[in-house]
Amino acid sequence: MTAATAGRIGPNAITRVAEVLPALLGEAGTRALFDAAGLGGHLRQPPEGMVDEAEVAQLHRVLRQQLGPAVAGQVARSAGMRTANYLLARRIPRPVQWLLKCLPAVLAARLLLQAISRHAWTFAGSGRFQARAGRPCVLTIHDNPLCRGVASNRPACDFYCATFERLFQVLVHPAVQVVETHCEARGDPVCRFELRW
């Protein structure tokens, strides 16, 4: 992570939430929620570049406050799946996808984790991301910006879980499941994700 990218996250963590909410809250309810998060401008003109991680954290905090943890988790999961679909359609080159799908799952997972680690600054912001290949693959985010100031009795990183799960199901093995075993929002020292198939 460089100084220029510290504390910034890709816009999908905002724009995909904006795509999911109208089916649940309607256009007016979506506007009200974004306004409550202080992000009404992002709804009117979706961000195209990196955004301040504090804005993303605030949106996900307001989701939990206004919708409750279960529904907010469903919204975040849907947004995470849409984020993965966006990455598959526009960011991960087709030849790379083809290669990963042809490889044995363990090797494909190792290569995909290397690529994710190189681009972790786009989703972990100022947090520190680490990945370990194996069975299971283990991903961790230390000082996760989406968990700062959040207290929850359940893991709160549904957005990340869904994004990782969808990418690995498409590119590594269709049976991949991601479980967040530790979460800073729950008081754990790190957010930890296990990927199993």
Side-chain angles (χ1 to χ4, degrees):
M1 180 172 54
T2 67
T5 58
R8 300 188 70 74
I9 292 178
N12 280 297
I14 291 176
T15 58
R16 304 305 158 210
V17 170
E19 292 174 358
V20 171
L21 282 177
L24 180 67
L25 302 177
E27 298 295 335
T30 300
R31 280 194 303 274
L33 191 144
F34 266 72
D35 286 342
L39 300 175
H42 284 330
L43 194 59
R44 290 184 290 278
Q45 185 171 350
E48 295 179 6
M50 302 294 284
V51 296
D52 189 319
E53 67 185 20
E55 294 179 338
V56 177
Q58 177 64 7
L59 176 59
H60 286 260
R61 241 187 327 271
V62 170
L63 280 175
R64 284 188 285 273
Q65 290 167 356
Q66 293 200 3
L67 305 180
V71 175
Q74 292 170 0
V75 169
R77 280 196 71 80
S78 294
M81 288 186 67
R82 286 172 179 253
T83 296
N85 288 337
Y86 171 86
L87 296 172
L88 290 163
R90 300 191 179 182
R91 291 289 183 252
I92 303 173
R94 295 283 180 205
V96 172
Q97 293 187 40
W98 177 84
L99 174 63
L100 290 172
K101 292 175 186 179
C102 290
L103 292 172
V106 172
L107 182 54
R110 183 177 301 278
L111 293 175
L112 183 55
L113 286 177
Q114 289 173 359
I116 289 172
S117 295
R118 283 194 304 274
H119 295 91
W121 59 273
T122 65
F123 62 86
S126 61
R128 297 177 313 281
F129 177 81
Q130 293 179 313
R132 187 187 78 222
R135 300 290 294 270
C137 295
V138 177
L139 315 180
T140 59
I141 303 175
H142 299 262
D143 196 20
N144 184 348
L146 295 191
C147 289
R148 289 183 198 138
V150 175
S152 174
N153 59 7
R154 63 183 289 276
C157 300
D158 300 281
F159 177 78
Y160 290 128
C161 285
T163 304
F164 296 142
E165 189 170 272
R166 174 73 175 146
L167 288 174
F168 275 77
Q169 284 176 348
V170 171
L171 299 174
V172 175
H173 193 286
V176 169
Q177 291 188 318
V178 176
V179 176
E180 186 176 11
T181 61
H182 299 74
C183 185
E184 291 176 348
R186 204 171 56 180
D188 295 322
V190 66
C191 294
R192 182 179 187 273
F193 309 87
E194 291 189 0
L195 287 70
R196 299 179 180 271
W197 64 91

